[in-house]
mmCIF file of all heavy atoms in Angstrom:
data_model
loop_
_atom_site.group_PDB
_atom_site.id
_atom_site.type_symbol
_atom_site.label_atom_id
_atom_site.label_comp_id
_atom_site.label_asym_id
_atom_site.label_seq_id
_atom_site.Cartn_x
_atom_site.Cartn_y
_atom_site.Cartn_z
ATOM 1 N N ALA A 154 5.525 20.285 -22.571
ATOM 2 C CA ALA A 154 6.172 20.523 -21.321
ATOM 3 C C ALA A 154 6.453 19.171 -20.604
ATOM 4 O O ALA A 154 7.464 19.050 -19.968
ATOM 5 C CB ALA A 154 5.278 21.363 -20.455
ATOM 6 N N PHE A 155 5.504 18.226 -20.645
ATOM 7 C CA PHE A 155 5.673 16.934 -20.060
ATOM 8 C C PHE A 155 6.847 16.159 -20.749
ATOM 9 O O PHE A 155 7.663 15.611 -20.067
ATOM 10 C CB PHE A 155 4.358 16.158 -20.212
ATOM 11 C CG PHE A 155 4.231 14.916 -19.380
ATOM 12 C CD1 PHE A 155 4.546 14.911 -18.054
ATOM 13 C CD2 PHE A 155 3.904 13.691 -19.892
ATOM 14 C CE1 PHE A 155 4.414 13.804 -17.204
ATOM 15 C CE2 PHE A 155 3.741 12.548 -19.138
ATOM 16 C CZ PHE A 155 4.044 12.639 -17.773
ATOM 17 N N HIS A 156 6.903 16.257 -22.066
ATOM 18 C CA HIS A 156 7.952 15.615 -22.866
ATOM 19 C C HIS A 156 9.329 16.245 -22.437
ATOM 20 O O HIS A 156 10.274 15.448 -22.143
ATOM 21 C CB HIS A 156 7.735 15.839 -24.314
ATOM 22 C CG HIS A 156 8.740 15.167 -25.173
ATOM 23 N ND1 HIS A 156 10.028 15.634 -25.394
ATOM 24 C CD2 HIS A 156 8.653 14.003 -25.872
ATOM 25 C CE1 HIS A 156 10.711 14.791 -26.189
ATOM 26 N NE2 HIS A 156 9.885 13.826 -26.512
ATOM 27 N N GLY A 157 9.351 17.490 -22.270
ATOM 28 C CA GLY A 157 10.638 18.149 -21.889
ATOM 29 C C GLY A 157 11.107 17.771 -20.465
ATOM 30 O O GLY A 157 12.298 17.522 -20.243
ATOM 31 N N TRP A 158 10.160 17.618 -19.613
ATOM 32 C CA TRP A 158 10.502 17.287 -18.196
ATOM 33 C C TRP A 158 10.973 15.821 -18.178
ATOM 34 O O TRP A 158 12.021 15.524 -17.552
ATOM 35 C CB TRP A 158 9.269 17.433 -17.356
ATOM 36 C CG TRP A 158 9.474 17.027 -15.918
ATOM 37 C CD1 TRP A 158 10.365 17.445 -15.027
ATOM 38 C CD2 TRP A 158 8.742 15.983 -15.216
ATOM 39 N NE1 TRP A 158 10.314 16.826 -13.813
ATOM 40 C CE2 TRP A 158 9.269 15.937 -13.861
ATOM 41 C CE3 TRP A 158 7.716 15.113 -15.572
ATOM 42 C CZ2 TRP A 158 8.770 15.044 -12.967
ATOM 43 C CZ3 TRP A 158 7.223 14.309 -14.593
ATOM 44 C CH2 TRP A 158 7.729 14.216 -13.334
ATOM 45 N N LEU A 159 10.265 14.887 -18.845
ATOM 46 C CA LEU A 159 10.655 13.492 -18.795
ATOM 47 C C LEU A 159 11.974 13.193 -19.518
ATOM 48 O O LEU A 159 12.690 12.299 -19.122
ATOM 49 C CB LEU A 159 9.591 12.669 -19.412
ATOM 50 C CG LEU A 159 8.291 12.549 -18.550
ATOM 51 C CD1 LEU A 159 7.192 11.675 -19.358
ATOM 52 C CD2 LEU A 159 8.596 11.775 -17.252
ATOM 53 N N THR A 160 12.244 13.994 -20.479
ATOM 54 C CA THR A 160 13.579 13.764 -21.170
ATOM 55 C C THR A 160 14.714 14.606 -20.625
ATOM 56 O O THR A 160 15.812 14.593 -21.174
ATOM 57 C CB THR A 160 13.382 14.161 -22.679
ATOM 58 O OG1 THR A 160 12.946 15.514 -22.782
ATOM 59 C CG2 THR A 160 12.388 13.243 -23.331
ATOM 60 N N GLY A 161 14.434 15.368 -19.543
ATOM 61 C CA GLY A 161 15.487 16.140 -18.894
ATOM 62 C C GLY A 161 15.841 17.402 -19.618
ATOM 63 O O GLY A 161 16.830 18.032 -19.236
ATOM 64 N N GLU A 162 14.982 17.883 -20.486
ATOM 65 C CA GLU A 162 15.272 19.045 -21.212
ATOM 66 C C GLU A 162 14.589 20.311 -20.608
ATOM 67 O O GLU A 162 14.868 21.433 -21.074
ATOM 68 C CB GLU A 162 14.736 18.907 -22.682
ATOM 69 C CG GLU A 162 15.438 17.790 -23.409
ATOM 70 C CD GLU A 162 14.811 17.514 -24.712
ATOM 71 O OE1 GLU A 162 13.777 18.044 -25.043
ATOM 72 O OE2 GLU A 162 15.354 16.610 -25.470
ATOM 73 N N ALA A 163 13.693 20.096 -19.641
ATOM 74 C CA ALA A 163 13.036 21.207 -19.016
ATOM 75 C C ALA A 163 12.695 20.855 -17.576
ATOM 76 O O ALA A 163 12.725 19.692 -17.176
ATOM 77 C CB ALA A 163 11.787 21.520 -19.811
ATOM 78 N N ASP A 164 12.370 21.833 -16.804
ATOM 79 C CA ASP A 164 12.026 21.627 -15.406
ATOM 80 C C ASP A 164 10.511 21.277 -15.301
ATOM 81 O O ASP A 164 9.759 21.320 -16.288
ATOM 82 C CB ASP A 164 12.228 22.862 -14.606
ATOM 83 C CG ASP A 164 13.737 23.251 -14.442
ATOM 84 O OD1 ASP A 164 14.521 22.321 -14.551
ATOM 85 O OD2 ASP A 164 14.042 24.442 -14.340
ATOM 86 N N PHE A 165 10.085 20.809 -14.105
ATOM 87 C CA PHE A 165 8.662 20.480 -13.843
ATOM 88 C C PHE A 165 7.831 21.787 -14.100
ATOM 89 O O PHE A 165 8.207 22.882 -13.731
ATOM 90 C CB PHE A 165 8.527 20.070 -12.451
ATOM 91 C CG PHE A 165 7.212 19.550 -12.083
ATOM 92 C CD1 PHE A 165 6.887 18.163 -12.110
ATOM 93 C CD2 PHE A 165 6.129 20.410 -11.719
ATOM 94 C CE1 PHE A 165 5.713 17.682 -11.828
ATOM 95 C CE2 PHE A 165 4.907 19.872 -11.420
ATOM 96 C CZ PHE A 165 4.626 18.534 -11.470
ATOM 97 N N ASP A 166 6.697 21.561 -14.727
ATOM 98 C CA ASP A 166 5.869 22.667 -15.074
ATOM 99 C C ASP A 166 4.380 22.329 -14.724
ATOM 100 O O ASP A 166 3.922 21.252 -15.097
ATOM 101 C CB ASP A 166 5.971 22.924 -16.551
ATOM 102 C CG ASP A 166 5.305 24.297 -16.950
ATOM 103 O OD1 ASP A 166 4.288 24.635 -16.324
ATOM 104 O OD2 ASP A 166 5.833 24.915 -17.897
ATOM 105 N N ASP A 167 3.700 23.228 -13.928
ATOM 106 C CA ASP A 167 2.360 22.946 -13.557
ATOM 107 C C ASP A 167 1.452 22.716 -14.702
ATOM 108 O O ASP A 167 0.300 22.158 -14.568
ATOM 109 C CB ASP A 167 1.858 24.086 -12.681
ATOM 110 C CG ASP A 167 2.439 24.160 -11.267
ATOM 111 O OD1 ASP A 167 3.203 23.155 -10.903
ATOM 112 O OD2 ASP A 167 2.224 25.113 -10.576
ATOM 113 N N VAL A 168 1.786 23.138 -15.940
ATOM 114 C CA VAL A 168 0.917 23.043 -17.013
ATOM 115 C C VAL A 168 0.609 21.643 -17.390
ATOM 116 O O VAL A 168 -0.471 21.364 -17.959
ATOM 117 C CB VAL A 168 1.558 23.737 -18.309
ATOM 118 C CG1 VAL A 168 2.715 22.976 -18.863
ATOM 119 C CG2 VAL A 168 0.510 24.039 -19.359
ATOM 120 N N PHE A 169 1.454 20.631 -17.014
ATOM 121 C CA PHE A 169 1.129 19.258 -17.358
ATOM 122 C C PHE A 169 0.515 18.430 -16.157
ATOM 123 O O PHE A 169 0.300 17.264 -16.221
ATOM 124 C CB PHE A 169 2.314 18.517 -17.867
ATOM 125 C CG PHE A 169 3.543 18.369 -17.023
ATOM 126 C CD1 PHE A 169 3.610 17.632 -15.922
ATOM 127 C CD2 PHE A 169 4.695 19.157 -17.493
ATOM 128 C CE1 PHE A 169 4.788 17.541 -15.170
ATOM 129 C CE2 PHE A 169 5.859 18.986 -16.761
ATOM 130 C CZ PHE A 169 5.969 18.252 -15.557
ATOM 131 N N LEU A 170 0.080 19.182 -15.080
ATOM 132 C CA LEU A 170 -0.524 18.508 -13.946
ATOM 133 C C LEU A 170 -1.816 17.717 -14.351
ATOM 134 O O LEU A 170 -2.112 16.693 -13.725
ATOM 135 C CB LEU A 170 -0.817 19.481 -12.840
ATOM 136 C CG LEU A 170 0.345 19.973 -12.033
ATOM 137 C CD1 LEU A 170 -0.112 21.122 -11.101
ATOM 138 C CD2 LEU A 170 0.977 18.781 -11.230
#
Side-chain angles (χ1 to χ4, degrees):
F155 193 52
H156 184 282
W158 177 61
L159 288 175
T160 56
E162 300 168 357
D164 294 331
F165 188 95
D166 192 325
D167 287 353
V168 73
F169 58 71
L170 286 173

